[in-house]
Amino acid sequence: PFGAGEPISFGCWFETSESTKKMVLLHYANYWGKVVENNISKDYFSLALDNGIPVIHTRPSTELKSLNSQNLADGQWHHIAISMPRKSCLVSELEVYIDGKMVETIVDADHHIFQTTSGRLNVGGFGYSNTGFEDKYPRVDPYIGKIDDFSLFARPINIDIDFFPSPAPSGSPSGSPSSSLFPSTLPTTIPSLSLNPTETPSSSPTISSAPTLSSQPTILPSEPPGFGYSNT
């Protein structure tokens, strides 16, 4: 769905402990490695974790950064989602969600998004466009950690409908929005069952005397009074 100014949105779960690196989570750019310069109208789209803080690059001079100071590279599962609210929106209008909650952002060199139409999407690194981008961003490394449940949309998202409720991967933090969807703790003890077929009751059951029958059976009418219904 990446193409020109058309809206795109995506999200995924991730877990990493690499809190001192800048690592690529998602990258879309020309597959031959050409870096779009500032005076060119077509952009790339790169989401990274910079010391555990999400940042987005669309041009060498344009960076959108989350103002949420929480370091997400804490060894716990987190969910991140990015959404373009409309066609050709400003970079500053991008909606960034962390664990289901929108966070405030700040941007340098804001502009309207117009993405290259001849690119490749890569998860966890620069991928096919690594030649030019590794030279342009020498301190940005491939992602180290786990990524799960990646989703991509060719439209704006509703975070509650498109991603939550959604079961988190095993080991997600108790504070994540989806933790309430997991079943409560299983019981620690299981009632014991006797498997001994020879076991008998401690006392024999008491059988009351057999009921007596009248000499003439009573025959009920084929239909009791009031049985049936009528159409009115």
Side-chain angles (χ1 to χ4, degrees):
F2 286 84
E6 296 301 319
I8 60 98
S9 305
F10 62 88
C12 67
W13 289 93
F14 67 92
E15 177 194 14
T16 182
S17 299
E18 300 292 332
S19 60
T20 60
K21 296 179 179 290
K22 188 171 184 178
M23 305 181 296
V24 178
L25 273 175
L26 178 136
H27 180 74
Y28 172 83
N30 290 316
Y31 57 85
W32 54 79
K34 179 181 178 182
V35 179
V36 180
E37 298 298 336
N38 294 326
N39 59 348
I40 304 294
S41 59
K42 293 185 179 180
D43 305 316
Y44 52 89
F45 197 100
S46 189
L47 169 65
L49 282 181
D50 188 359
N51 295 328
I53 306 299
V55 296
I56 296 172
H57 294 278
T58 55
R59 297 179 184 177
S61 64
T62 301
E63 178 185 87
L64 179 142
K65 190 168 187 176
S66 168
L67 292 178
N68 183 354
S69 60
Q70 179 186 3
N71 187 334
L72 302 178
D74 57 2
Q76 301 294 324
W77 281 102
H78 294 283
H79 188 271
I80 187 168
I82 313 293
S83 179
M84 287 179 63
R86 61 183 178 88
K87 185 175 181 178
S88 299
C89 71
L90 291 166
V91 175
S92 60
E93 293 179 299
L94 288 172
E95 297 172 353
V96 179
Y97 298 88
I98 303 297
D99 292 335
K101 304 295 183 182
M102 186 184 294
V103 298
E104 294 184 9
T105 58
I106 188 171
V107 64
D108 294 326
D110 201 10
H111 65 86
H112 288 277
I113 296 174
F114 192 90
Q115 296 152 353
T116 180
T117 54
S118 56
R120 297 281 179 89
L121 177 64
N122 305 279
V123 178
F126 289 132
Y128 286 96
S129 60
N130 65 326
T131 304
F133 281 87
E134 287 181 353
D135 294 338
K136 194 69 177 180
Y137 299 101
R139 59 177 289 266
V140 179
D141 298 319
Y143 178 75
I144 301 173
K146 300 176 183 177
I147 297 177
D148 195 11
D149 198 16
F150 176 82
S151 300
L152 179 65
F153 303 87
R155 58 170 173 79
I157 61 170
N158 181 314
I159 192 69
D160 295 321
I161 295 175
D162 293 318
F163 288 106
F164 299 97
S166 172
S170 176
S172 62
S174 58
S176 69
S178 61
S179 62
S180 61
L181 301 176
F182 290 96
S184 58
T185 307
L186 295 175
T188 57
T189 59
I190 300 176
S192 59
L193 299 176
S194 173
L195 300 179
N196 185 359
T198 61
E199 188 173 326
T200 57
S202 58
S203 60
S204 300
T206 303
I207 302 176
S208 60
S209 59
T212 58
L213 298 177
S214 60
S215 57
Q216 289 292 341
T218 301
I219 301 175
L220 296 174
S222 58
E223 285 190 359
F227 179 83
Y229 66 92
S230 61
N231 253 339
T232 58

